[in-house]
Amino acid sequence: MEPLCRNLDLKPATFPPISPRFPKPISLSLRSPRFSCSDRQVTKKWRVSVGNANSEAKFSSQELVRAIGKGLLAFAAAAAANYAVVCCDYPAMAESLTLAFPVSRTTEVNSVQRTLVETWGLIRETFVDPTFNHQDWDQKFQQTMTEMFPLKSADAAYMKISGMLSTLGDPFTRIISPREYESFRIGSNGNLQGVGLFINTEPRTGHLVVLSCVEGGPAARAGLHQGDELVEINGEKVDGIDIEVAIQKLRGRVGTTVTVKVHRGNDFAGDSSIKEVKLPREYIKLSPISTATIPHKTPDGRLTKMGYVKLLAFSQTAAADMENAINEMKSQGVHSYILDLRNNPGGLVKAGLDVAQIWLDGDETLVNTIDREGNLLPINMVNGHAITHDPLVVLVNEGSASASEILAGALHDNRRATLVGHRTFGKGKIQSVTVLHDGSALFVTVAKYLSPALHDIDQVGIAPDVQCTTEMLNSPKESTSKEKSSVSSSREADSCVLVAEHELDIQESKGTAS
């Protein structure tokens, strides 16, 4: 069997001689047989010995991370060690690694050094690019640890970790502080205090752009739009800062305000393209679903009902809320559906897959993943049962990203839905989130994904079957629709919704419902 990685034999870095003031260096040895090229993964076991102690403990890889977090690897400042040596041996692959680094006496920095070890190990084991952007990742770790040693604050030390991660060339692989992670969790649960603004990193430029605004929220009322580029927050330029840092600056206690500057869309013609607004922070309830029943007259004159469902984000409750909404509209006599994913920035990938299974039967492929070794792994349903087989159209645009693209691709490639709108955002990466010992969180891109038909999505997006104009119609049609929840009245003047209604008529006339 050919090794998955080259043999490593890194000598300890050259540091100043150990003075009598310091005790002997800490020595850590980690032993982990990697899995072979077969489909069966061998559970990783680690042997950890600290200092001169003869005690030995065995850990799984996850337990090792927890052990580091609890300080079992003697990174506590009280150890007063001058150096630490990490030795990793991979007998199954004849791979060995030795790293040496100075251990800080500053308690705050010492704690972040443990976080750095966790980060380095998780990236080494799971990051989608096994070349680590064509750099020696172990040497990068050693360099970062050495640069961290003389620092005096945790903030400065965390900046070193962020700098190390930035060399991977993936803006979505990042670390966030405990406070930022708590805000992330609150957002995923659907409740937060902020300005109602969804932003993301544009992968081609690295700039922060507005994906969408929560309807009726402070940002929407101030006239911010999808495509606006975020320039400043409270007078501080945001070019190059981490997205979670920007989100944290926008959120805050209800009753306070935040001032933002944005470039208006793609208009960079001068100062006139800059818009500055002061936004009040409010309680933002992110109910993921908005619905409406649309009375519709078919080409042959029959009066029918169409169901309109707008999915705002893939939160933990998205699939359950979607299923409840569809079942209720079915009870009202709805026989065809428009699923609106426009300006949906994504969220939990599992939620996207769960929503797909509401519409699909059998064992269809929902998405294909490609791991770091280039292995293609389809994710299929198991004995799926759709709750409705009525015709379906999905609306997408440039703000439809990540889990939205997974869902749209699954429904389109399995010939369950027609896509109407504009090409999607193009984020074809899947990430894992690991909570580290200090409550911070590491986001790691662990795989790329392709649609069921093996279409690449990353930085490409999904092209719709039918395009529609983004302008509103001059004469909104009259409607007597009774809406279940708050859906903008402008929907009645939305040309894409009208195109979707036309496509549903075509599906019904051809009998193309699944």
Side-chain angles (χ1 to χ4, degrees), residues 463-502:
D465 299 299
V466 181
Q467 288 198 342
C468 59
T469 62
T470 57
E471 293 80 10
M472 308 304 278
L473 300 180
N474 291 329
S475 302
K477 68 171 188 174
E478 295 182 1
S479 171
T480 59
S481 64
K482 181 179 179 180
E483 300 185 358
K484 285 292 298 175
S485 58
S486 177
V487 179
S488 173
S489 60
S490 63
R491 191 203 71 247
E492 301 299 343
D494 188 336
S495 63
C496 293
V497 171
L498 296 184
V499 171
E501 292 184 36
H502 175 68

Short mmCIF file of all heavy atoms in Angstrom, two decimals, residues 463-502:
data_model
loop_
_atom_site.label_atom_id
_atom_site.label_comp_id
_atom_site.label_asym_id
_atom_site.label_seq_id
_atom_site.Cartn_x
_atom_site.Cartn_y
_atom_site.Cartn_z
N ALA A 463 -27.14 27.04 -12.35
CA ALA A 463 -27.91 27.84 -13.32
C ALA A 463 -29.36 27.38 -13.31
O ALA A 463 -29.63 26.18 -13.32
CB ALA A 463 -27.31 27.70 -14.72
N PRO A 464 -30.32 28.31 -13.29
CA PRO A 464 -31.73 27.91 -13.30
C PRO A 464 -32.15 27.40 -14.67
O PRO A 464 -31.50 27.65 -15.69
CB PRO A 464 -32.45 29.22 -12.95
CG PRO A 464 -31.54 30.29 -13.49
CD PRO A 464 -30.14 29.77 -13.28
N ASP A 465 -33.26 26.67 -14.70
CA ASP A 465 -33.84 26.23 -15.97
C ASP A 465 -34.44 27.41 -16.73
O ASP A 465 -34.38 27.48 -17.96
CB ASP A 465 -34.93 25.18 -15.72
CG ASP A 465 -34.38 23.95 -15.03
OD1 ASP A 465 -33.50 23.29 -15.60
OD2 ASP A 465 -34.84 23.65 -13.91
N VAL A 466 -35.05 28.32 -15.96
CA VAL A 466 -35.73 29.47 -16.55
C VAL A 466 -35.30 30.72 -15.79
O VAL A 466 -35.37 30.75 -14.56
CB VAL A 466 -37.26 29.33 -16.48
CG1 VAL A 466 -37.94 30.52 -17.14
CG2 VAL A 466 -37.71 28.02 -17.13
N GLN A 467 -34.84 31.74 -16.52
CA GLN A 467 -34.49 32.99 -15.87
C GLN A 467 -35.71 33.89 -15.78
O GLN A 467 -36.68 33.74 -16.53
CB GLN A 467 -33.37 33.70 -16.64
CG GLN A 467 -32.02 33.03 -16.52
CD GLN A 467 -30.88 33.94 -16.91
OE1 GLN A 467 -31.09 34.95 -17.58
NE2 GLN A 467 -29.68 33.60 -16.49
N CYS A 468 -35.65 34.83 -14.85
CA CYS A 468 -36.73 35.81 -14.73
C CYS A 468 -36.10 37.16 -14.42
O CYS A 468 -34.98 37.23 -13.91
CB CYS A 468 -37.73 35.42 -13.65
SG CYS A 468 -37.00 35.23 -12.02
N THR A 469 -36.81 38.21 -14.72
CA THR A 469 -36.29 39.55 -14.46
C THR A 469 -36.38 39.84 -12.97
O THR A 469 -37.21 39.28 -12.25
CB THR A 469 -37.10 40.61 -15.23
OG1 THR A 469 -38.46 40.57 -14.78
CG2 THR A 469 -37.04 40.35 -16.71
N THR A 470 -35.48 40.71 -12.51
CA THR A 470 -35.50 41.08 -11.10
C THR A 470 -36.39 42.28 -10.82
O THR A 470 -36.69 42.58 -9.68
CB THR A 470 -34.06 41.40 -10.64
OG1 THR A 470 -33.54 42.45 -11.45
CG2 THR A 470 -33.18 40.18 -10.74
N GLU A 471 -36.82 42.97 -11.89
CA GLU A 471 -37.65 44.15 -11.70
C GLU A 471 -39.07 43.74 -11.31
O GLU A 471 -39.55 42.69 -11.67
CB GLU A 471 -37.71 45.01 -12.97
CG GLU A 471 -36.39 45.65 -13.34
CD GLU A 471 -35.46 44.68 -14.05
OE1 GLU A 471 -35.93 43.58 -14.42
OE2 GLU A 471 -34.27 45.00 -14.21
N MET A 472 -39.73 44.62 -10.58
CA MET A 472 -41.12 44.38 -10.23
C MET A 472 -42.01 44.82 -11.40
O MET A 472 -41.68 45.73 -12.14
CB MET A 472 -41.50 45.16 -8.96
CG MET A 472 -40.53 44.93 -7.81
SD MET A 472 -40.35 43.20 -7.37
CE MET A 472 -41.81 43.01 -6.36
N LEU A 473 -43.15 44.17 -11.54
CA LEU A 473 -44.07 44.51 -12.61
C LEU A 473 -44.72 45.86 -12.34
O LEU A 473 -44.90 46.27 -11.20
CB LEU A 473 -45.15 43.43 -12.74
CG LEU A 473 -44.63 42.01 -13.06
CD1 LEU A 473 -45.80 41.06 -13.15
CD2 LEU A 473 -43.83 42.00 -14.34
N ASN A 474 -45.08 46.57 -13.41
CA ASN A 474 -45.68 47.90 -13.25
C ASN A 474 -47.07 47.81 -12.65
O ASN A 474 -47.49 48.69 -11.89
CB ASN A 474 -45.76 48.59 -14.62
CG ASN A 474 -44.38 48.96 -15.14
OD1 ASN A 474 -43.49 49.24 -14.35
ND2 ASN A 474 -44.22 48.94 -16.45
N SER A 475 -47.81 46.77 -12.98
CA SER A 475 -49.19 46.66 -12.51
C SER A 475 -49.36 45.37 -11.71
O SER A 475 -49.61 44.31 -12.29
CB SER A 475 -50.17 46.67 -13.70
OG SER A 475 -50.01 47.85 -14.44
N PRO A 476 -49.21 45.45 -10.42
CA PRO A 476 -49.38 44.25 -9.62
C PRO A 476 -50.77 43.67 -9.83
O PRO A 476 -51.76 44.38 -9.86
CB PRO A 476 -49.20 44.74 -8.18
CG PRO A 476 -48.42 46.01 -8.30
CD PRO A 476 -48.87 46.63 -9.60
N LYS A 477 -50.81 42.30 -9.95
CA LYS A 477 -52.12 41.68 -10.15
C LYS A 477 -52.88 41.67 -8.83
O LYS A 477 -52.31 41.64 -7.75
CB LYS A 477 -51.94 40.25 -10.66
CG LYS A 477 -51.34 39.30 -9.65
CD LYS A 477 -51.40 37.87 -10.18
CE LYS A 477 -50.96 36.90 -9.09
NZ LYS A 477 -51.14 35.51 -9.49
N GLU A 478 -54.19 41.69 -8.93
CA GLU A 478 -55.01 41.66 -7.74
C GLU A 478 -54.98 40.26 -7.14
O GLU A 478 -54.85 39.27 -7.84
CB GLU A 478 -56.45 42.06 -8.07
CG GLU A 478 -56.58 43.50 -8.54
CD GLU A 478 -58.01 43.87 -8.82
OE1 GLU A 478 -58.89 43.01 -8.62
OE2 GLU A 478 -58.26 45.01 -9.23
N SER A 479 -55.12 40.19 -5.83
CA SER A 479 -55.07 38.89 -5.18
C SER A 479 -55.92 38.91 -3.94
O SER A 479 -56.04 39.91 -3.25
CB SER A 479 -53.63 38.53 -4.81
OG SER A 479 -53.61 37.39 -4.01
N THR A 480 -56.52 37.78 -3.67
CA THR A 480 -57.28 37.61 -2.44
C THR A 480 -56.63 36.56 -1.56
O THR A 480 -57.27 35.92 -0.75
CB THR A 480 -58.73 37.18 -2.76
OG1 THR A 480 -58.69 35.94 -3.49
CG2 THR A 480 -59.45 38.23 -3.56
N SER A 481 -55.31 36.36 -1.76
CA SER A 481 -54.62 35.30 -1.00
C SER A 481 -54.65 35.61 0.48
O SER A 481 -54.54 36.76 0.90
CB SER A 481 -53.17 35.18 -1.46
OG SER A 481 -52.49 36.36 -1.18
N LYS A 482 -54.82 34.56 1.24
CA LYS A 482 -54.79 34.67 2.70
C LYS A 482 -53.47 34.10 3.19
O LYS A 482 -53.22 32.91 3.06
CB LYS A 482 -55.95 33.88 3.32
CG LYS A 482 -55.99 33.99 4.84
CD LYS A 482 -57.16 33.21 5.40
CE LYS A 482 -57.19 33.30 6.92
NZ LYS A 482 -58.33 32.54 7.49
N GLU A 483 -52.63 34.91 3.77
CA GLU A 483 -51.29 34.49 4.10
C GLU A 483 -51.23 33.95 5.53
O GLU A 483 -51.82 34.51 6.44
CB GLU A 483 -50.31 35.65 3.93
CG GLU A 483 -50.30 36.17 2.49
CD GLU A 483 -49.26 37.24 2.28
OE1 GLU A 483 -48.60 37.57 3.27
OE2 GLU A 483 -49.11 37.71 1.16
N LYS A 484 -50.48 32.84 5.66
CA LYS A 484 -50.32 32.25 6.98
C LYS A 484 -49.43 33.10 7.88
O LYS A 484 -49.63 33.14 9.07
CB LYS A 484 -49.69 30.85 6.84
CG LYS A 484 -50.64 29.80 6.34
CD LYS A 484 -51.70 29.49 7.34
CE LYS A 484 -51.12 28.93 8.63
NZ LYS A 484 -52.11 28.72 9.66
N SER A 485 -48.42 33.69 7.33
CA SER A 485 -47.52 34.53 8.11
C SER A 485 -47.07 35.69 7.24
O SER A 485 -47.50 35.82 6.09
CB SER A 485 -46.34 33.72 8.64
OG SER A 485 -45.64 33.14 7.57
N SER A 486 -46.22 36.52 7.80
CA SER A 486 -45.86 37.76 7.12
C SER A 486 -45.07 37.51 5.84
O SER A 486 -43.93 37.12 5.88
CB SER A 486 -45.02 38.63 8.07
OG SER A 486 -44.61 39.80 7.42
N VAL A 487 -45.69 37.70 4.70
CA VAL A 487 -45.04 37.65 3.40
C VAL A 487 -45.30 38.98 2.73
O VAL A 487 -46.42 39.46 2.69
CB VAL A 487 -45.59 36.50 2.53
CG1 VAL A 487 -44.91 36.49 1.18
CG2 VAL A 487 -45.39 35.17 3.24
N SER A 488 -44.26 39.57 2.20
CA SER A 488 -44.38 40.90 1.64
C SER A 488 -45.45 40.96 0.56
O SER A 488 -45.56 40.06 -0.29
CB SER A 488 -43.03 41.34 1.06
OG SER A 488 -43.19 42.55 0.37
N SER A 489 -46.25 42.02 0.57
CA SER A 489 -47.27 42.18 -0.47
C SER A 489 -46.63 42.34 -1.84
O SER A 489 -47.29 42.12 -2.86
CB SER A 489 -48.14 43.40 -0.16
OG SER A 489 -47.35 44.57 -0.11
N SER A 490 -45.35 42.68 -1.86
CA SER A 490 -44.69 42.84 -3.16
C SER A 490 -44.57 41.51 -3.89
O SER A 490 -44.26 41.50 -5.08
CB SER A 490 -43.29 43.45 -2.96
OG SER A 490 -42.47 42.59 -2.22
N ARG A 491 -44.84 40.40 -3.22
CA ARG A 491 -44.80 39.11 -3.90
C ARG A 491 -45.76 39.08 -5.08
O ARG A 491 -45.50 38.46 -6.11
CB ARG A 491 -45.19 37.99 -2.92
CG ARG A 491 -44.93 36.58 -3.45
CD ARG A 491 -45.79 35.53 -2.76
NE ARG A 491 -47.18 35.64 -3.16
CZ ARG A 491 -48.16 36.01 -2.36
NH1 ARG A 491 -47.91 36.30 -1.11
NH2 ARG A 491 -49.40 36.09 -2.81
N GLU A 492 -46.87 39.79 -4.94
CA GLU A 492 -47.86 39.80 -6.01
C GLU A 492 -47.34 40.51 -7.25
O GLU A 492 -47.89 40.34 -8.33
CB GLU A 492 -49.15 40.47 -5.52
CG GLU A 492 -49.79 39.78 -4.32
CD GLU A 492 -50.19 38.34 -4.60
OE1 GLU A 492 -50.29 37.98 -5.80
OE2 GLU A 492 -50.38 37.57 -3.65
N ALA A 493 -46.30 41.34 -7.07
CA ALA A 493 -45.73 42.05 -8.22
C ALA A 493 -44.37 41.47 -8.60
O ALA A 493 -43.64 42.07 -9.37
CB ALA A 493 -45.58 43.54 -7.89
N ASP A 494 -44.07 40.30 -8.06
CA ASP A 494 -42.77 39.67 -8.28
C ASP A 494 -42.82 38.86 -9.57
O ASP A 494 -43.54 37.86 -9.67
CB ASP A 494 -42.45 38.77 -7.08
CG ASP A 494 -41.05 38.20 -7.12
OD1 ASP A 494 -40.47 38.11 -8.21
OD2 ASP A 494 -40.54 37.85 -6.04
N SER A 495 -42.06 39.29 -10.57
CA SER A 495 -42.11 38.62 -11.87
C SER A 495 -41.66 37.17 -11.78
O SER A 495 -42.13 36.32 -12.53
CB SER A 495 -41.25 39.38 -12.89
OG SER A 495 -39.89 39.37 -12.50
N CYS A 496 -40.72 36.86 -10.87
CA CYS A 496 -40.25 35.49 -10.74
C CYS A 496 -41.34 34.56 -10.22
O CYS A 496 -41.42 33.40 -10.62
CB CYS A 496 -39.02 35.44 -9.83
SG CYS A 496 -37.56 36.26 -10.53
N VAL A 497 -42.18 35.07 -9.32
CA VAL A 497 -43.31 34.27 -8.84
C VAL A 497 -44.28 34.00 -9.98
O VAL A 497 -44.79 32.88 -10.13
CB VAL A 497 -44.02 34.97 -7.66
CG1 VAL A 497 -45.32 34.26 -7.31
CG2 VAL A 497 -43.10 35.03 -6.44
N LEU A 498 -44.51 35.01 -10.82
CA LEU A 498 -45.43 34.81 -11.96
C LEU A 498 -44.85 33.81 -12.95
O LEU A 498 -45.58 32.99 -13.52
CB LEU A 498 -45.69 36.15 -12.64
CG LEU A 498 -46.42 37.20 -11.80
CD1 LEU A 498 -46.72 38.45 -12.63
CD2 LEU A 498 -47.72 36.64 -11.22
N VAL A 499 -43.52 33.88 -13.17
CA VAL A 499 -42.89 32.88 -14.04
C VAL A 499 -43.03 31.49 -13.43
O VAL A 499 -43.29 30.51 -14.14
CB VAL A 499 -41.41 33.24 -14.27
CG1 VAL A 499 -40.69 32.09 -15.00
CG2 VAL A 499 -41.28 34.52 -15.07
N ALA A 500 -42.89 31.40 -12.12
CA ALA A 500 -43.04 30.11 -11.44
C ALA A 500 -44.45 29.57 -11.61
O ALA A 500 -44.63 28.37 -11.85
CB ALA A 500 -42.69 30.26 -9.96
N GLU A 501 -45.45 30.44 -11.50
CA GLU A 501 -46.83 30.00 -11.70
C GLU A 501 -47.02 29.45 -13.11
O GLU A 501 -47.69 28.43 -13.32
CB GLU A 501 -47.79 31.16 -11.44
CG GLU A 501 -47.85 31.61 -9.99
CD GLU A 501 -48.89 32.70 -9.77
OE1 GLU A 501 -49.94 32.65 -10.42
OE2 GLU A 501 -48.63 33.61 -8.95
N HIS A 502 -46.41 30.12 -14.08
CA HIS A 502 -46.51 29.67 -15.48
C HIS A 502 -45.85 28.30 -15.63
O HIS A 502 -46.39 27.40 -16.31
CB HIS A 502 -45.85 30.69 -16.40
CG HIS A 502 -45.79 30.26 -17.83
ND1 HIS A 502 -46.92 30.13 -18.63
CD2 HIS A 502 -44.73 29.92 -18.61
CE1 HIS A 502 -46.55 29.73 -19.83
NE2 HIS A 502 -45.23 29.60 -19.85
#
